[in-house]
Amino acid sequence: MQTNATHTPDTPPPYSSLVAVGDSFTEGMSDRLPDGSYRGWADLLASRMAARSPGFRYANLAVRGKLIGQIVDEQVDVAAAMGADVITLVGGLNDTLRPKCDMGRVRGLLEEAVESLAPACKQLVLMRSPGRQGPVLERFRPRMEELFACVDELAARHGALVVDLYGAPSLSDPRMWDVDRLHLTAEGHRRVAEAVWQALGHPAEDAEWHTPMAASPPPAWVARQMAHARFARQYLLPWIGRRLTGRSSGDGRAGAHFSAELGKAFWVTPADHTNPGPVTDWRRMGP
């Protein structure tokens, strides 16, 4: 894949394409745009990369609610066939939050995904996902850390980068998380994009992305109880209902850049490479 950009040992390679694979974290929830669609860290990263690489192409295949087995079945082969310079893979966390989780199977499927994607791109990027402070994280922390240990081992074996979001104090702050307590806010997604940007070798635009937010007075007791009740009614109970009935928030959905009708992924690219702007304004490139 050719590009007009040049680089030295002190600058990152001129990556000209990006494919994002995963679940709601990579889809962009809850970084909601005015039209109701989601942006998220992957879109933000693609916009930055496009500004440095004329002809840049991007595809986001991630779908909310997907387990690692579904990611392997529905996204991995598609991503591997696209010949991207950079592929990001984040998956398995939804599995760890299930009441019954076979971590041996999760590790095996993650290994299968990495073995397929690493040879299919110039740089595979894996992540240790961020974790919100609170009792939910404490309950599932051992599974999460087992997953992240697998991520580290696979990265070392296959030459992948690991972006450690789990170890970033800023992203454990409850203020970085939406009211559903499962997805990052727009500011959280911005910080993730910055973390991946730097991991790829680009100069920092925010060297303090991992730094904790300034302390603020805790909300009053009444406000906390109202927030807990709203969370339970609007998010927790529906989530439990989907688990009990075997449904998922991603049922019937396709990735942002996947045509369900044709069964094919497609690239998007800036309409004007001199001012890429948001990914939502990029033009589609086939099929």
Side-chain angles (χ1 to χ4, degrees), residues 122-225:
K122 293 181 180 178
Q123 183 62 68
L124 178 63
V125 178
L126 307 176
M127 299 188 201
R128 294 162 56 92
S129 305
R132 184 184 188 275
Q133 294 174 359
V136 173
L137 175 62
E138 293 307 316
R139 177 181 177 185
F140 296 105
R141 187 186 296 274
R143 290 180 183 173
M144 294 173 61
E145 294 186 347
E146 184 177 348
L147 176 69
F148 299 155
C150 180
V151 166
D152 290 343
E153 190 275 329
L154 289 171
R157 195 193 316 165
H158 294 279
L161 294 175
V162 177
V163 182
D164 185 13
L165 306 174
Y166 183 68
S170 63
L171 295 177
S172 67
D173 191 314
R175 291 171 294 177
M176 287 286 180
W177 296 76
D178 193 41
V179 292
D180 66 1
R181 305 182 184 181
L182 287 173
H183 301 108
L184 292 171
T185 62
E187 174 60 16
H189 279 284
R190 184 196 68 79
R191 294 192 184 214
V192 172
E194 177 67 30
V196 183
W197 174 257
Q198 292 183 30
L200 288 170
H202 295 289
E205 294 186 13
D206 176 10
E208 303 299 322
W209 69 267
H210 58 282
T211 301
M213 298 173 65
S216 64
W221 183 87
V222 172
R224 292 200 306 272
Q225 301 313 306

Side-chain angles (χ1 to χ4, degrees), residues 19-20 58-63 73-79 82 252-268 284 286-287:
V19 173
Y58 168 56
N60 191 328
L61 308 181
V63 179
D73 290 343
E74 301 167 13
Q75 300 178 35
V76 166
D77 286 348
V78 176
M82 297 184 78
R253 294 181 178 273
H257 305 133
F258 185 87
S259 170
E261 296 80 9
L262 298 176
K264 296 180 180 180
F266 58 88
W267 296 101
V268 293
R284 175 171 168 169

